[in-house]
Amino acid sequence: MTRAALWGMAFFCLSLVLQYVWLHIQRRVSLTQAQKSYGVGIDVEVKAATPSMGGAVFLVLALLGLALTWGVESLTFWSLPLAGGFIGLLDDGLKFFSRSSEGLRSMTKLKVQLVVCGLWVLLVFLTGRAGLWPGLDLGWPLLAPLTFIGCVGMLNAVNITDGLDGLAGGCTMISLAALPLLIPASEFNVATVSMLFFMTAGFMFFNLRPARTFMGDTGAHFLGGALAGLCVTNGRLLALLPVGFLFGIEMLTSAIQIFTIRKLNRRVFLMAPLHHHFQRMGWDESLVTTRFWLVQAVGTAWLSLLLLCIGGEG
């Protein structure tokens, strides 16, 4: 446990230094991202000039984390956030080189996610690490597709939530802070959660409003994969409910908006996902972010307590 604490502080310091260096490199090569023409339309010029691939540092730190905790368990876990991060990196790279707000086509990105998550879920089942929750059994014909959906869903949910300064990163830190209550306190788990929490904290130093860098699809896919990976490899698929509380709400509002526009020719929200709805209502970006952090903290704590009560050991 002492080693995990030391690694956590080392990852925080490394994250700060690497983000600082990477930030200056991004500025030098103008590594920014065009804003979507159908976006919320607030601070467009400022956000368009902000470096947009801060999440690339997560990949470097993740490879270091893999090396420090090397083994079958480590390789199984880290392969999902790393694969997710590289999908995001490809998407971010295409946006940069094309000078467009669109990278991979939505269906192309989804197909790649499906393949990556499908192979990873197969690996988890082959290593015998899959499970719904201690004391709650579910046969593999149901558990496998649910696990697959959960992994793909988390990759996209964190990406959808990443729309305001500090929002996705802050919600991820809340999820990581809750995870020690939901997964076994093994040396690997404690070390990994510590690394992820403190590397995200290092990024947040530069991402709080006004953000000096964005995580991009690289960082969002990486963090989504990390949260899903920790729950699934510990046989606690249901832990995705508290861990992904706000992320799930954000993705659900986007799905509702798309469905009602296409099928009913009307909007439920002023703009989706939900954080943009409140911006359109006139809320300041910082107000939306901090209140969403609060919602994530309350929802995560409440669902975590429910799980710990109904499922036996945590």
Side-chain angles (χ1 to χ4, degrees), residues 80 83-84 87 110-124 144 147-156 225 228:
L80 181 60
I87 294 172
L110 179 60
K111 289 175 182 177
V112 175
Q113 292 171 344
L114 293 175
V115 171
V116 166
C117 290
L119 292 174
W120 186 79
V121 168
L122 178 61
L123 173 64
V124 172
T147 304
F148 174 68
I149 292 170
C151 292
V152 176
M154 277 303 296
L155 290 182
N156 288 288

